[in-house]
């Protein structure tokens, strides 16, 4: 049955492409536009197209033709994955699901006429809009750093060329040199991410440059999976990693990209590689569309992921305020399924079921030493609230940690299939 | 009732259906009673002895030896070639206790889906209790066995027949399945995370309830199953049971 539906959609797409006018087939079909082709947006587009079986005209707007997942990009830095293994294209979403994939930037949303303007000058009409642009950086959150400095001091918090650059810089560090990470304040994309990244860089340095040092400048008192990471760092990378928290000036850092210096509470440190992960806000288009509040992120209705600002718009993933859920690819994927169901119910009258959300984040500390944290969530009136959760324990045996890592490989394969088809 | 819940919680049994079914008897405080009848258990052992050895000089055969089974982690007898499924259960810290052994003996595949033990299970709780009493005699450190109450657990079925009889709503199951598919692949691929498609519905339902009651050990699955209602589990079983057919 799935095969039949797929081949029907493929044929419909081919016919539509032949006359280059989707309106011929799509006459009267409700229109959904999705901005952003990451874990949130691509999942939403796929589920709306798949489950409506052609009844909804879905357009996905994503500027890049090849999408690199942020999740597992640290494993690429550590040498555990090839960059190509975290690269995905949109071919299957177009060919098997009949989604119109438009590689362009969305530069404006007119909520009154319900149209999205693209950088090319074209515009797209919608009945429902899904906004999933991920994050952008807060200007001047790290004094001395702006996007012009991203070659000298990469952020690598959007995966792809930035991740590659950071990996090369780490591998080219002088013997006994210093790697510095300026960690972000809450809330930010992938809470365990900075600390997994430090683990992966320590893994590389331990083998190639064992006298090198890692310095984390951190404005936060505590961080995700802290006990697990600190136990792992002690066990695998003893003496290599130093973290300066807010009590010692970690919240008062300035960078000088040209001089490769970091100024921590007035003290100048010379560094060889500096990874600056600035403070974050919802992707720019969410602000242009007037969907964000003073926090920089977008408030949503917990049961449907609809924007609190506009009932015809759903905001997903890192850009939204998801209550107790962390900003992660797993969360965005989970939210997308709720939004897809709500969109279909609104446009085609399909059955609506109660929203359920969940998240699990795996992190790799060293070869075969994986840990995880996760929780389930449900909507309340005011927020998405945690129901239940779990976390790996310190002192677990090696077989369990290895199994946890192997499980994460299975998860990656599963979620990639679930997002990109 | 509160007292009963607390006691059952200690034994790792928290299923709501079970608590309700058990409510009437729970007014009386349980007393210490033997697990079962060792002599009758020795008779039940004939089902096992074709593959397993126990007692002095017992060795691995078709199945692993069963000396000191209580308190032992699943798949932990050295050099025995366990199934992948049993190895996974061991890594996830499945410990053989009165509760877990009882669940395994009742329906081996409900607790460990891919076990190679080709035994359909012992439906009679008394037979299981007697066999467990027999096995316990060969465990050197039975300190982990609660002296009070174990027979009460064995006398209550894990799942009421009406729970097993629920006809799953496939459309609802399809929506709920989207949560499973973040990790489990719908084409049945098994890469670090097991396949859950095309299972017999009853096996699926039993497995999910075993997670929900925290008999099966995996923390993610305990959490996921923990918030699913009986109807939702049935819906998922109906959906995944026919996926791709």
């Amino acid at each position: 049955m799935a095969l039949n539906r797929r081949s029907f959609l493929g044929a419909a797409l081919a016919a539509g492409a032949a006359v280059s006018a989707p309106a011929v087939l799509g006459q009267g079909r409700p229109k959904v536009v999705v901005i952003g082709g990451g874990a949130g947006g691509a999942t939403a587009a796929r589920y709306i197209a798949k489950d409506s079986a052609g009844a909804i005209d879905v357009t996905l707007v994503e500027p890049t033709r090849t999408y690199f997942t942020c999740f597992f990009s640290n494993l690429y830095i550590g040498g555990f994955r090839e960059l190509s293994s975290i690269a995905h294209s949109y071919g299957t979403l177009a060919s098997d699901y009949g989604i119109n994939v438009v590689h362009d930037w969305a530069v404006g949303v007119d909520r009154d006429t319900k149209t999205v303007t693209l950088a090319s000058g074209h515009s797209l009409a919608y009945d429902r809009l899904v906004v999933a642009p991920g994050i952008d950086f807060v200007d001047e959150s790290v004094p001395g750093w702006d996007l012009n400095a991203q070659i000298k001091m990469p952020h690598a918090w959007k995966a792809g060329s930035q991740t590659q650059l950071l990996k090369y810089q780490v591998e080219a560090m002088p013997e006994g040199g210093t790697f510095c990470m300026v960690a972000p304040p809450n809330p930010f994309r992938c809470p365990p991410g900075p600390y997994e990244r430090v683990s992966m860089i320590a893994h590389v340095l331990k083998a190639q440059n064992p006298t090198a040092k890692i310095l984390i400048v951190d404005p936060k008192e505590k961080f995700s999976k802290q006990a697990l990471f600190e136990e792992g760092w002690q066990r695998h990378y003893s003496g290599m990693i130093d973290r300066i928290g807010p009590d010692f000036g970690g919240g008062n850092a300035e960078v000088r990209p040209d001089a490769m210096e970091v100024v921590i509470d007035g003290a100048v440190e010379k560094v060889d590689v500096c990874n600056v992960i600035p403070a974050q806000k919802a992707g720019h288009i969410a602000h242009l569309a007037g969907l964000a509040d003073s926090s920089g992120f977008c408030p949503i209705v917990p049961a449907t992921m609809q924007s609190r600002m506009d009932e015809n718009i759903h905001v997903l993933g890192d850009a939204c305020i998801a209550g107790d859920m962390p900003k992660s690819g797993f969360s965005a994927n989970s939210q997308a399924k709720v939004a897809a169901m709500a969109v279909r119910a609104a446009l085609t009258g399909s059955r609506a079921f109660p929203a359920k959300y969940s998240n699990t984040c795996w992190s790799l500390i060293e070869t075969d030493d994986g840990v995880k944290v996760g929780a389930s969530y449900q909507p309340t009136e005011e927020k998405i609230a945690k129901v239940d959760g779990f976390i790996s324990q310190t002192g677990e045996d090696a077989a369990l940690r290895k199994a946890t890592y192997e499980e994460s490989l299975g998860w990656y394969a599963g979620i990639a299939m679930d997002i990109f088809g | 009732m509160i007292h009963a819940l607390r006691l059952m919680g200690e034994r790792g049994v928290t299923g709501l259906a079970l608590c309700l079914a058990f409510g009437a008897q729970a007014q009386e405080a349980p007393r210490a009673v033997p697990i079962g009848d060792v002599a009758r258990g020795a008779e039940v052992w004939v089902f096992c002895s074709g593959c397993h050895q126990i007692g002095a000089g017992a060795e691995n055969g078709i199945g692993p030896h069963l000396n000191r089974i209580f308190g032992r982690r699943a798949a932990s007898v050295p050099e025995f070639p366990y199934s992948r499924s049993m190895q996974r259960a061991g890594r996830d810290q499945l410990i053989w206790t009165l509760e877990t052994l009882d669940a395994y003996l009742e329906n081996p595949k409900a607790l460990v889906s891919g076990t190679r033990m080709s035994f359909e299970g012992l439906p009679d709780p008394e037979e299981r209790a007697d066999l467990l009493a027999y096995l316990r005699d060969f465990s050197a450190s039975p300190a982990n066995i609660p002296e009070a109450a174990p027979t009460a657990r064995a006398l209550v079925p894990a799942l009421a027949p009406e729970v097993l009889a629920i006809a799953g709503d496939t459309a609802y199951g399809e929506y709920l399945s989207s949560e499973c598919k973040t990790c489990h692949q719908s084409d049945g691929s098994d890469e670090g995370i097991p396949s859950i498609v095309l299972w017999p519905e009853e096996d699926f339902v039993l497995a999910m309830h075993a997670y929900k009651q925290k008999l099966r050990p995996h923390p993610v699955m305990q959490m996921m199953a923990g918030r699913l209602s009986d109807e939702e589990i049935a819906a998922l079983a109906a959906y995944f049971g026919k996926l791709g057919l």
Side-chain angles (χ1 to χ4, degrees), chain A residues 99-137:
Chain A
I99 295 166
N100 311 299
V101 179
V102 177
H103 291 298
D104 201 344
W105 289 92
V107 294
V109 175
D110 185 330
R111 284 159 41 184
D112 294 327
T113 60
K114 296 206 273 185
T115 51
V116 175
T117 312
L118 304 177
S120 63
H122 290 96
S123 64
L124 297 166
Y126 65 81
D127 295 296
R128 285 281 169 130
L129 176 64
V130 176
V131 176
I135 49 122
D136 271 314
F137 300 122

Side-chain angles (χ1 to χ4, degrees), chain A residues 55-123:
Chain A
I56 296 176
D57 179 2
V58 182
T59 301
L60 176 63
V61 181
E62 162 59 42
T64 65
R65 287 172 188 277
T66 301
Y67 182 87
F68 295 91
T69 58
C70 270
F71 42 98
F72 271 31
S73 66
N74 285 331
L75 272 62
Y76 159 69
I77 292 174
F80 292 90
R81 298 286 285 211
E82 294 293 324
L83 191 60
S84 59
S85 79
I86 61 166
H88 303 274
S89 69
Y90 297 90
T92 309
L93 292 181
S95 64
D96 289 12
Y97 297 91
I99 295 166
N100 311 299
V101 179
V102 177
H103 291 298
D104 201 344
W105 289 92
V107 294
V109 175
D110 185 330
R111 284 159 41 184
D112 294 327
T113 60
K114 296 206 273 185
T115 51
V116 175
T117 312
L118 304 177
S120 63
H122 290 96
S123 64

Side-chain angles (χ1 to χ4, degrees), chain B residues 28 49 75 99 127 195 219 226 232:
Chain B
E28 300 169 24
S49 59
E99 286 72 34
E127 279 188 349
S195 168
E232 288 170 336

Side-chain angles (χ1 to χ4, degrees), chain B residues 2-233:
Chain B
I2 290 167
H3 184 58
L5 275 172
R6 186 184 64 78
L7 277 171
M8 284 190 280
E10 280 171 4
R11 299 197 302 279
V13 180
T14 54
L16 182 59
L18 174 62
C19 297
L20 292 175
F22 191 53
Q25 298 163 35
Q27 302 300 328
E28 300 169 24
R31 289 163 303 178
V33 276
I35 297 167
D37 184 317
V38 177
R40 283 206 304 265
E43 292 170 23
V44 182
W45 173 251
V46 300
F47 288 118
C48 320
S49 59
C51 299
H52 293 281
Q53 297 180 21
I54 199 164
E59 293 176 353
N60 293 338
I62 295 170
H65 77 77
L66 296 180
N67 289 340
R68 296 175 299 283
I69 180 79
F70 282 86
R72 189 161 96 190
R73 196 172 75 176
S76 62
V77 171
E79 294 175 22
F80 186 79
Y82 291 98
S83 64
R84 285 177 61 192
S85 203
M86 188 64 85
Q87 290 177 39
R88 179 180 284 125
R91 287 194 306 258
D92 288 343
Q93 313 298 313
L94 174 64
I95 306 294
W96 291 125
T97 63
L98 198 61
E99 286 72 34
T100 55
L101 277 171
D102 186 52
Y104 187 63
L105 287 172
E106 183 181 9
N107 184 343
K109 287 189 166 55
L111 192 68
V112 183
S113 321
T115 180
R116 276 204 288 272
M117 186 165 87
S118 52
F119 180 60
E120 68 277 21
L122 282 174
D124 182 348
E126 281 188 51
E127 279 188 349
R128 293 200 302 277
D130 295 341
L131 179 60
L132 287 166
Y134 175 77
L135 291 175
R136 185 200 165 196
D137 268 6
F138 295 93
S139 281
S141 53
N144 61 320
I145 305 168
E147 283 305 317
T151 50
R153 162 69 178 79
L155 288 171
V156 180
L159 279 186
E162 55 268 31
V163 173
L164 281 173
I166 297 171
D169 175 344
T170 311
Y172 189 21
E174 180 167 10
Y175 164 65
L176 292 169
S177 78
S178 66
E179 191 157 48
C180 316
K181 289 174 186 168
T182 301
C183 297
H184 297 277
Q185 297 190 42
S186 46
D187 65 1
S189 300
D190 174 0
E191 307 168 50
I193 290 182
S195 168
I196 55 170
V197 304
L198 300 178
W199 282 33
E201 285 185 36
E202 187 168 314
D203 287 2
F204 193 103
V205 168
L206 285 168
M208 291 298 280
H209 280 279
Y211 283 121
K212 187 172 174 171
Q213 296 179 9
K214 301 195 190 297
L215 286 167
R216 281 190 177 218
H218 196 272
V220 180
M221 287 307 302
Q222 287 181 353
M223 179 186 81
M224 290 306 207
R227 65 164 167 176
L228 294 173
S229 68
D230 296 345
E231 286 72 21
E232 288 170 336
I233 288 174

Side-chain angles (χ1 to χ4, degrees), chain A residues 180-268:
Chain A
C180 177
M181 170 186 281
V182 179
N186 291 321
F188 63 99
R189 161 179 285 177
C190 191
Y195 312 98
E196 181 186 56
R197 173 170 293 173
V198 162
S199 306
M200 291 296 93
I201 288 170
H203 168 79
V204 170
L205 293 176
K206 188 169 126 181
Q208 301 178 5
N209 190 350
T211 54
K213 295 286 178 208
I214 295 177
L215 185 63
I216 308 168
V217 183
D218 202 333
K220 301 182 295 297
E221 290 284 350
K222 52 192 171 100
F223 60 88
S224 174
K225 301 178 185 161
Q226 184 162 0
L228 296 166
F229 279 115
E230 288 178 347
E231 177 196 49
W233 293 346
Q234 184 65 37
R235 182 187 309 149
H236 304 299
Y237 314 116
S238 182
M240 182 180 266
I241 301 167
D242 206 5
R243 175 171 170 266
I244 300 175
D247 292 350
F248 296 91
N252 181 20
E254 177 194 333
V255 296
R256 295 171 181 163
D258 291 326
M260 285 308 285
E261 288 172 352
V262 181
V263 188
I264 306 160
D265 224 11
V268 178

